[in-house]
Amino acid sequence: MKRYLALICLVISGYSTAQDDDVLKTYVSHSINELREFVAIPNDATEHADINRNLTWLTNKFNARGFNSSILPTQGESLFFAALPMEDNKPTILFYMHLDGQPVDPTKWDQPNPYSVVLKSKDGNQWKKQPFDSLANNLNYDWRLFGRSTSDDKGPIVMLLNAIDLLKRNNVTFPFNVKVILDSEEEKGSRPLPKAVKEYRDLLKADFLVINDGPVHVSGKPTVVYGCRGITTLTLTTYGPMKPQHSGHYGNYAPNPGFQLAQLLASMKDAEGKVLVNGYYDGISLDAPTTEILKNVPEDAATINGYLAIKTPEKVGGFYQESLQYPSLNIRGLGSGWIGEKVRTIIPESATAEIDMRLVPESNGNRLKDLVKTHIQNQGFFIMDSIPTKEERMAHEKIITITEGSVTNAFRTDLNNAYGNFLVNVLKDSFGDDVVQIRIMGGTVPIAPFINELQIPAFIVPMVNPDNDQHSPNENLRIGQLAYGIKAFYGILSTKMN
Amino acid sequence: MKRYLALICLVISGYSTAQDDDVLKTYVSHSINELREFVAIPNDATEHADINRNLTWLTNKFNARGFNSSILPTQGESLFFAALPMEDNKPTILFYMHLDGQPVDPTKWDQPNPYSVVLKSKDGNQWKKQPFDSLANNLNYDWRLFGRSTSDDKGPIVMLLNAIDLLKRNNVTFPFNVKVILDSEEEKGSRPLPKAVKEYRDLLKADFLVINDGPVHVSGKPTVVYGCRGITTLTLTTYGPMKPQHSGHYGNYAPNPGFQLAQLLASMKDAEGKVLVNGYYDGISLDAPTTEILKNVPEDAATINGYLAIKTPEKVGGFYQESLQYPSLNIRGLGSGWIGEKVRTIIPESATAEIDMRLVPESNGNRLKDLVKTHIQNQGFFIMDSIPTKEERMAHEKIITITEGSVTNAFRTDLNNAYGNFLVNVLKDSFGDDVVQIRIMGGTVPIAPFINELQIPAFIVPMVNPDNDQHSPNENLRIGQLAYGIKAFYGILSTKMN
């Protein structure tokens, strides 16, 4: 999962008694050992043999906890599936995590092998290597484990395994049937997933889905995320003379494709960033309780604006979380002729804008693309899906070529869902702290089609620190997050729903 | 000089008697030999020794015709100057041509050595090499001489030398004092010229300037050009978040620099291509006789639009020649983020437009730049001349960095100038054909500062065929144009002004 915010991490507060704390620390210690072992198996999904070694490790570990596990073949790498013995009278929880990791470039890391976990303490602004045996006397929750996938996403898998151990030690009766599905190609876009979920629909059947991926909110507080935006793209190209022409000979005569494109783009958004395409925001309405939940996310404009270095944000929403409730229309790229050192005094042949549209559940991607196309047509453009010929150029005043990208739709679970309320309450009770509820995150996760296919309520319950540098060199996991994760899974699997 | 139009060449018609024709052919034959000799000396101005060899050749050739010649040192390559003995009671004509040529890449030419002239006849669509001795019996005016600078601009120099010979043979008394200045760095932008003309102002003193460079009008008719547009440039950069941001996380929140730029550019021009910047066209008015002269240029919209492959041109002028009477505002380049295969789903950090403005005499470049800057300020932008710091980004709503290019102003001689009328009448009488009068050509020539410094009326009287492929491989000169040039120079130097 992509980070949705990553600024600073605050310390997680606990409420346990001193005795509970000691027991927990035993399991945290064990999870450190298990995570070192797991991370040691490289997990770039382009290496089939490595993925298989991870699957074998997982089979052993889950089976040892009483799970029945299966390797599910797909069109790509196989998925890992495990379930505890089912009981008919219990609701079923399905956990989704992923075993693959981002590729590594060891030369960019501050350690020789990104797959060999290094323990570090912070000394001022410097991370300092520590021997693992120093943890025996001092299990410092602020120290960190550096290595690929410590946070994204092997850490949470190990947290679940150790929470199961602690639950078993305490003879807790699970209020749910427990299923686990682990993706092998999440970092490559989970391409086999939509088809696999159709094939294994019966096996995956559950009452709700809990995704343990990505970091908790930047405030460091317990977090539940109810959805994420989708995405689709458009490439727009306008045309000038058929070949680039000398700007002296034809300036004021040959139409300039950059001005045509600028005029079109300017017609799509007002000065405050609101999309002017008819119907673009149709179907979206935020009632007072929803707005209240958005406002309750502990973040402030000054911090976000300072991070972006902007004076004033766009005005689609009144504040950051509100802005994510709407589909966006973003120019991710512009190109025409040459800029900078290569600049030439020409009237360019064409001008191109690369557009991406982040989707919300109210705005189906194909519907939005149609609205934009209608808008473009209303601006007087003749729309084509190929490069115009000379004859076509001479037959139409203004021509645009539109290339459409595929659609990944959004998903969003209702804020009032009973399982969502259950998760929020469990986290609140486990940590004695407010739970940050994110109605929808801005980015897009590749499991959205999977969720939409299963048609069950889905929630992201992240377990790792927001400054974990996932996807980057020196990815790390705060040891305290292992305690956090074990407690969170423990709470979920030990609390009976009302 | 840059080509201002280059489509097709029509045959030049002559009116001479059969006897005159035979005499002329003798001089055309001689000029072919002299041009082969001259072209054989490479003339890329980056090769100082080659330029010197050209200067020596010219000194010999002009001195042989009774000129007094001088090599004028400059900050770059030396200029060549020659004058016939002066008589106080005659007006002085100054001819400007250039001895340097475009660099050559022999691998792109259809002959081994671009400096060794090859004679060719056209066989269908194919050029076919011919032996030079075949010219003795058949001096075919449609055959061509292929080689660097045959047209641009050694051909016209040789035409002048041979016209002088013919004038002397016929014992013509020159009605003018004759001065010749030959540039050595025209193809490199004539950088030393503005300073040199200040230094040699007294030597260059004349009543009018005739520039023999570039091709005649595409119609092939005798042509007089009264001016050319100037140029200046602006680079405009708008800003989004300080670093590129994930378009999911911040789409709808972080301002997009591409939309800011599009809105600004869209405000600068209307849908028909007319500049909306206040005062941009101030001072330009075309009276009926001027419009008549513009309309008399024998060209039609269908041909030009077909060449450009456009349905409708911009509407700054009602037709091509009229459009050149106004300053242009052209987007020569656009860039932001990435397009095509490299596209990334980001909100880019900045967006840049490269603008060029072709100038006319009414629109001083610095004044136009100030008008554009005022327009940008009125759109709510804070204007800077450097990249904004974080603090500056956070202090201003919309920031733009403007980088200004230098100004080369336009020049244009009055259509009613007595020397202009004289040249038109001479060409009309010499060829018995209408003379195409171009009030201003669209492109910019580097000698404009030189002309503006001398403050004398200046006229471009081109001598070569419009399809000469100057600046390209296989540059060529139609043999008939040697006859054309000798006759044109003969007419100018044998006709007394009324």
Side-chain angles (χ1 to χ4, degrees):
Chain A
M1 180 190 287
K2 302 283 181 344
R3 288 173 298 176
Y4 50 95
L5 269 176
L7 302 177
I8 48 162
C9 169
L10 302 184
V11 176
I12 306 301
S13 61
Y15 73 109
S16 325
T17 62
Q19 197 197 330
D20 283 348
D21 275 354
D22 283 346
V23 173
L24 182 60
K25 283 191 171 175
T26 313
Y27 286 82
V28 171
S29 281
H30 184 254
S31 65
I32 291 172
N33 296 336
E34 221 161 16
L35 185 58
R36 292 174 68 187
E37 204 180 289
F38 193 14
V39 167
I41 311 166
N43 63 346
D44 182 341
T46 53
E47 295 297 326
H48 175 68
D50 285 340
I51 294 300
N52 273 357
R53 276 188 278 274
N54 279 280
L55 292 170
T56 303
W57 188 90
L58 287 162
T59 303
N60 292 335
K61 292 294 176 174
F62 274 87
N63 289 358
R65 270 81 174 190
F67 283 80
N68 296 310
S69 59
S70 325
I71 308 298
L72 308 181
T74 73
Q75 290 196 309
E77 295 299 323
S78 297
L79 301 170
F80 177 83
F81 177 79
L84 287 172
M86 303 285 285
E87 295 172 46
D88 281 351
N89 57 338
K90 289 179 183 174
T92 302
I93 184 170
L94 172 63
F95 290 103
Y96 167 96
M97 287 170 271
H98 62 92
L99 60 99
D100 68 317
Q102 283 281 321
V104 295
D105 175 356
T107 64
K108 303 268 166 67
W109 286 65
D110 297 334
Q111 66 198 57
N113 180 0
Y115 296 116
S116 176
V117 175
V118 172
L119 176 68
K120 290 184 185 178
S121 64
K122 199 156 194 176
D123 195 6
N125 279 322
Q126 291 292 315
W127 286 106
K128 201 180 142 189
K129 193 174 170 178
Q130 297 288 354
F132 276 97
D133 54 20
S134 64
L135 290 174
N137 299 321
N138 174 22
L139 189 70
N140 191 322
Y141 276 10
D142 287 329
W143 291 11
R144 298 201 182 185
L145 305 168
F146 285 79
R148 175 55 83 224
S149 297
T150 48
S151 265
D152 181 24
D153 193 29
K154 286 184 169 178
I157 295 171
V158 169
M159 295 172 202
L160 174 61
L161 290 170
N162 283 272
I164 300 276
D165 291 341
L166 184 55
L167 287 156
K168 286 184 182 267
R169 169 195 178 274
N170 291 348
N171 294 312
V172 175
T173 307
F174 292 3
F176 301 108
N177 291 315
V178 179
K179 292 182 177 177
V180 179
I181 181 81
L182 303 182
D183 196 345
S184 301
E185 291 190 47
E186 198 272 348
E187 301 294 5
K188 300 277 183 281
S190 300
R191 256 162 292 190
L193 210 52
K195 190 154 185 171
V197 71
K198 281 199 176 75
E199 192 174 346
Y200 302 113
R201 170 184 275 283
D202 288 343
L203 199 63
L204 296 169
K205 205 163 178 293
D207 294 281
F208 67 118
L209 172 65
V210 174
I211 299 147
N212 308 110
D213 192 10
V216 299
H217 184 257
V218 281
S219 61
K221 289 178 184 291
T223 306
V224 175
V225 182
Y226 292 81
C228 67
R229 292 199 289 192
I231 189 169
T232 190
T233 60
L234 290 173
T235 304
L236 311 178
T237 300
T238 56
Y239 298 94
M242 192 145 180
K243 288 185 200 166
Q245 292 292 339
H246 190 287
S247 75
H249 305 158
Y250 293 106
N252 275 358
Y253 192 85
N256 184 296
F259 275 110
Q260 283 187 15
L261 188 66
Q263 278 151 357
L264 174 61
L265 294 171
S267 76
M268 288 183 173
K269 260 186 164 180
D270 70 13
E272 295 188 316
K274 286 185 195 137
V275 176
L276 298 171
V277 172
N278 228 333
Y280 205 78
Y281 299 135
D282 276 6
I284 301 168
S285 78
L286 303 173
D287 58 17
T290 304
T291 304
E292 196 53 32
I293 285 183
L294 299 178
K295 282 194 172 156
N296 277 343
V297 176
E299 60 199 11
D300 64 293
T303 308
I304 301 175
N305 297 355
Y307 170 69
L308 299 171
I310 58 171
K311 187 182 181 200
T312 312
E314 294 190 328
K315 295 281 197 309
V316 182
F319 53 100
Y320 177 67
Q321 288 297 330
E322 197 173 62
S323 75
L324 303 179
Q325 310 307 310
Y326 294 86
S328 68
L329 180 65
N330 177 55
I331 303 174
R332 52 188 182 149
L334 278 178
S336 181
W338 287 269
I339 64 165
E341 283 183 7
K342 292 185 179 170
V343 72
R344 294 165 60 182
T345 47
I346 54 156
I347 301 167
E349 178 268 332
S350 65
T352 294
E354 298 279 8
I355 302 288
D356 72 272
M357 297 142 77
R358 296 285 172 169
L359 309 170
V360 296
E362 292 84 355
S363 58
N364 175 282
N366 288 319
R367 186 176 68 84
L368 279 206
K369 285 197 289 193
D370 285 345
L371 292 177
V372 172
K373 283 193 281 183
T374 301
H375 177 90
I376 292 172
Q377 207 157 29
N378 291 344
Q379 305 299 309
F381 283 92
F382 177 74
I383 297 177
M384 299 186 58
D385 59 6
S386 58
I387 297 170
T389 63
K390 179 171 180 179
E391 288 64 35
E392 286 161 340
R393 284 164 183 261
M394 295 196 68
H396 302 282
E397 205 77 32
K398 294 197 290 183
I399 300 176
I400 193 165
T401 300
I402 302 183
T403 311
E404 299 185 32
S406 62
V407 174
T408 299
N409 275 317
F411 88 89
R412 195 182 66 222
T413 301
D414 199 279
L415 285 166
N416 291 318
N417 181 277
Y419 294 106
N421 292 339
F422 163 76
L423 290 169
V424 170
N425 287 331
V426 164
L427 291 176
K428 197 172 172 183
D429 290 348
S430 299
F431 300 104
D433 197 0
D434 291 337
V435 175
V436 177
Q437 295 184 67
I438 308 284
R439 186 177 185 244
I440 195 162
M441 51 179 259
T444 306
V445 296
I447 49 163
F450 170 84
I451 294 165
N452 288 327
E453 179 68 36
L454 285 178
Q455 292 198 308
I456 53 173
F459 310 90
I460 302 169
V461 180
M463 297 298 184
V464 304
N465 39 301
D467 59 348
N468 68 58
D469 279 336
Q470 66 186 65
H471 292 205
S472 300
N474 302 318
E475 178 180 348
N476 65 83
L477 176 68
R478 189 176 160 273
I479 289 176
Q481 296 300 135
L482 286 167
Y484 175 90
I486 292 169
K487 280 175 78 168
F489 281 119
Y490 190 99
I492 293 166
L493 294 180
S494 64
T495 309
K496 208 168 152 50
M497 280 182 70
N498 296 327
Chain B
M1 178 190 286
K2 303 283 180 343
R3 288 172 298 177
Y4 51 95
L5 269 177
L7 302 177
I8 47 161
C9 169
L10 301 185
V11 176
I12 307 300
S13 62
Y15 74 112
S16 325
T17 62
Q19 196 196 330
D20 284 347
D21 275 354
D22 283 346
V23 174
L24 182 61
K25 283 191 171 176
T26 313
Y27 286 82
V28 171
S29 279
H30 184 254
S31 66
I32 292 173
N33 296 336
E34 220 161 18
L35 184 59
R36 292 175 68 187
E37 203 181 291
F38 193 13
V39 167
I41 311 167
N43 63 344
D44 182 340
T46 53
E47 296 298 326
H48 175 68
D50 285 340
I51 294 300
N52 274 356
R53 276 189 277 275
N54 279 280
L55 292 170
T56 303
W57 188 90
L58 287 162
T59 302
N60 293 334
K61 292 294 176 176
F62 274 86
N63 288 358
R65 269 83 175 188
F67 282 81
N68 297 310
S69 59
S70 326
I71 308 297
L72 307 181
T74 73
Q75 291 196 309
E77 293 301 323
S78 298
L79 302 170
F80 177 83
F81 177 79
L84 287 173
M86 303 284 284
E87 294 173 46
D88 281 352
N89 58 339
K90 289 181 182 173
T92 302
I93 183 170
L94 173 63
F95 290 103
Y96 167 96
M97 287 169 270
H98 63 92
L99 60 100
D100 68 317
Q102 283 280 320
V104 294
D105 175 354
T107 64
K108 304 268 166 67
W109 286 64
D110 296 335
Q111 65 198 57
N113 181 0
Y115 296 116
S116 176
V117 176
V118 173
L119 176 69
K120 291 184 183 178
S121 65
K122 200 155 193 176
D123 194 6
N125 280 322
Q126 292 290 316
W127 287 106
K128 201 180 142 190
K129 193 174 168 178
Q130 297 288 352
F132 276 96
D133 55 18
S134 65
L135 290 174
N137 299 321
N138 174 23
L139 189 69
N140 192 322
Y141 277 10
D142 287 328
W143 291 11
R144 297 201 183 185
L145 305 168
F146 286 78
R148 174 57 81 224
S149 298
T150 48
S151 265
D152 182 22
D153 191 28
K154 286 184 169 179
I157 295 171
V158 170
M159 295 172 201
L160 174 61
L161 290 169
N162 284 273
I164 300 276
D165 291 341
L166 184 54
L167 287 156
K168 286 182 183 272
R169 169 194 178 274
N170 291 349
N171 294 312
V172 175
T173 306
F174 291 4
F176 299 108
N177 291 315
V178 179
K179 293 182 177 178
V180 179
I181 180 82
L182 303 182
D183 196 346
S184 302
E185 292 191 46
E186 198 271 349
E187 300 294 3
K188 299 278 183 282
S190 301
R191 257 162 292 190
L193 209 53
K195 191 154 184 172
V197 71
K198 279 198 177 76
E199 192 175 345
Y200 302 113
R201 171 183 274 285
D202 287 344
L203 200 63
L204 297 169
K205 207 162 175 291
D207 293 280
F208 67 117
L209 173 65
V210 174
I211 299 147
N212 308 110
D213 192 11
V216 299
H217 185 258
V218 282
S219 61
K221 289 179 184 289
T223 306
V224 174
V225 182
Y226 292 82
C228 67
R229 292 201 288 191
I231 189 171
T232 190
T233 60
L234 290 173
T235 304
L236 310 178
T237 300
T238 56
Y239 297 94
M242 191 145 179
K243 289 183 201 169
Q245 292 292 339
H246 190 288
S247 75
H249 304 156
Y250 292 106
N252 275 358
Y253 191 85
N256 184 297
F259 275 112
Q260 283 188 14
L261 188 65
Q263 278 151 358
L264 173 61
L265 294 171
S267 76
M268 289 183 174
K269 260 187 164 181
D270 70 14
E272 294 188 317
K274 287 187 195 136
V275 176
L276 298 171
V277 172
N278 228 333
Y280 205 79
Y281 299 135
D282 275 7
I284 301 168
S285 79
L286 303 174
D287 58 17
T290 304
T291 305
E292 196 53 33
I293 286 185
L294 299 178
K295 282 193 173 157
N296 277 342
V297 176
E299 58 200 12
D300 65 293
T303 307
I304 302 175
N305 297 354
Y307 170 70
L308 298 172
I310 58 172
K311 187 181 181 200
T312 313
E314 294 190 329
K315 295 281 196 310
V316 181
F319 54 98
Y320 176 66
Q321 289 296 331
E322 196 173 62
S323 75
L324 302 179
Q325 311 306 312
Y326 294 86
S328 68
L329 180 64
N330 176 54
I331 303 175
R332 51 188 183 150
L334 278 178
S336 181
W338 287 267
I339 64 165
E341 282 183 9
K342 292 185 179 171
V343 71
R344 294 164 61 182
T345 47
I346 54 156
I347 302 167
E349 178 268 332
S350 65
T352 294
E354 299 279 8
I355 303 287
D356 72 273
M357 297 142 76
R358 297 285 172 169
L359 309 171
V360 295
E362 293 83 355
S363 58
N364 174 283
N366 288 319
R367 185 176 69 83
L368 279 205
K369 285 198 288 192
D370 285 345
L371 292 177
V372 172
K373 283 193 281 183
T374 302
H375 177 90
I376 292 173
Q377 206 158 28
N378 291 343
Q379 305 298 309
F381 282 92
F382 177 73
I383 297 178
M384 298 185 59
D385 59 6
S386 58
I387 297 170
T389 63
K390 180 171 180 180
E391 288 65 34
E392 286 161 340
R393 283 163 184 263
M394 295 196 68
H396 302 282
E397 205 77 32
K398 294 198 290 184
I399 300 175
I400 192 164
T401 301
I402 303 183
T403 311
E404 299 184 32
S406 61
V407 174
T408 300
N409 276 316
F411 88 88
R412 194 184 65 223
T413 301
D414 199 280
L415 285 167
N416 291 318
N417 181 279
Y419 294 106
N421 292 339
F422 163 76
L423 290 168
V424 169
N425 287 332
V426 164
L427 292 176
K428 198 172 170 181
D429 290 348
S430 300
F431 300 104
D433 198 1
D434 291 335
V435 175
V436 177
Q437 296 184 67
I438 307 283
R439 186 177 185 244
I440 195 162
M441 51 179 259
T444 305
V445 296
I447 49 163
F450 170 84
I451 295 165
N452 288 327
E453 180 66 36
L454 284 179
Q455 292 198 308
I456 53 174
F459 311 89
I460 302 169
V461 181
M463 299 297 184
V464 304
N465 41 300
D467 59 348
N468 67 59
D469 279 336
Q470 65 186 66
H471 293 205
S472 301
N474 302 318
E475 178 180 348
N476 64 82
L477 175 69
R478 190 177 159 272
I479 289 176
Q481 295 300 135
L482 286 167
Y484 174 89
I486 292 169
K487 280 176 78 169
F489 282 118
Y490 190 98
I492 293 167
L493 295 179
S494 63
T495 309
K496 210 169 150 48
M497 280 182 70
N498 297 327

